């Protein structure tokens, strides 16, 4: 059974104008984005980290990205090689969505928008474009966990077709089929 369909899903590349009238480009991740992506995560507000991600410090960020972006983490980890989309403003990565294989045929979703670009509509467009790109790349089921007190973020996911699987405890699990 397929989840709710997003209105006009468009895979990257895509240009959008955010609520601040900034032109944002959404593109599939490629290695040319790595240094800017590291900078985005290195300047990410630690108070906005979710469940330990992104890691703190450049070394931790690079190790984490090396794994999820398909690098060799030394353990031949099945969780590597995520499908990723990045949001660019000028020459700066300002957002990232990744669909990380969980080893059992599903993908865990991680999405981050730099605090200087939040509440401008970038996250919802990045998520929808990322879902369409992941679908084109063969991803069929996506799941995530979100803190129970983050109602606004849960609404973002609900609006993108995610349903609540487990409403108990400090984190809630949500999922959807593509």
């Amino acid at each position: 059974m397929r989840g709710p369909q997003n209105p006009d899903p468009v895979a990257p590349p895509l240009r959008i104008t955010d609520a601040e009238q900034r032109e944002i480009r959404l593109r599939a991740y490629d290695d040319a984005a790595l240094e800017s992506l590291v900078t985005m995560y290195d300047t990410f507000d630690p108070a906005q980290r979710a469940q330990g991600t992104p890691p703190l410090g450049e070394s931790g960020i690079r190790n984490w990205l090396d794994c999820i972006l398909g690098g060799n983490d030394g353990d031949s980890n099945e969780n590597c090689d995520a499908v990723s989309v990045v949001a660019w403003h000028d020459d700066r990565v300002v957002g990232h969505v990744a669909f990380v294989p969980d080893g059992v045929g599903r993908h865990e979703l991680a999405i981050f928008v730099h605090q200087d670009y939040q509440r401008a509509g970038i996250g919802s467009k990045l998520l929808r474009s990322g879902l369409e790109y992941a679908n084109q790349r063969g991803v069929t089921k996506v799941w995530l966990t979100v803190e129970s007190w983050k109602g606004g973020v849960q609404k973002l996911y609900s609006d993108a077709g995610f349903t609540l699987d487990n409403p108990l405890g400090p984190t809630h699990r949500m999922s959807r089929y593509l």
Side-chain angles (χ1 to χ4, degrees):
M1 178 176 173
R2 293 176 60 89
Q5 297 301 302
N6 296 323
D8 303 320
V10 179
L14 178 66
R15 289 181 188 271
I16 63 169
T17 301
D18 74 0
E20 300 294 323
Q21 301 306 306
R22 297 174 289 211
E23 183 178 284
I24 306 296
R25 296 177 332 274
L26 305 180
R27 296 193 333 222
Y29 172 82
D30 64 33
D31 290 340
L34 179 62
E35 293 308 315
S36 188
L37 189 57
V38 169
T39 298
M40 181 193 88
Y41 283 124
D42 199 34
T43 61
F44 198 78
D45 182 354
Q48 294 191 12
R49 294 171 68 229
Q51 302 166 37
T53 55
L56 295 173
E58 185 177 338
S59 176
I61 292 165
R62 286 185 183 280
N63 287 338
W64 175 62
L65 289 174
D66 187 46
C67 179
I68 69 169
L69 297 174
N72 181 4
D73 67 351
D75 295 327
S76 67
N77 186 343
E78 291 181 19
N79 292 346
C80 292
D81 205 13
V83 173
S84 290
V85 175
V86 290
W88 290 86
H89 177 233
D90 296 330
D91 62 351
R92 177 180 179 193
V93 171
V94 299
H96 176 218
V97 62
F99 302 87
V100 183
D102 67 3
V104 293
R106 301 168 302 202
H107 287 71
E108 182 178 9
L109 175 116
I111 183 169
F112 296 93
V113 176
H114 192 275
Q115 62 272 5
D116 294 344
Y117 290 81
Q118 293 177 2
R119 294 173 194 73
I122 297 169
S124 60
K125 294 280 193 326
L126 179 61
L127 177 57
R128 290 177 193 279
S129 186
L131 286 166
E132 180 62 19
Y133 181 65
N135 183 38
Q136 291 177 2
R137 301 281 303 204
V139 173
T140 58
K141 184 166 185 183
V142 178
W143 63 274
L144 60 97
T145 56
V146 61
E147 288 89 353
S148 59
W149 53 270
K150 290 188 175 181
V153 175
Q154 288 182 38
K155 182 174 178 353
L156 170 76
Y157 296 132
S158 291
D159 290 348
F162 285 84
T163 57
L164 192 59
D165 294 337
N166 179 1
L168 303 175
T171 59
H172 293 175
R173 183 180 168 112
M174 301 179 81
S175 65
R176 71 162 285 181
Y177 288 95
L178 302 184

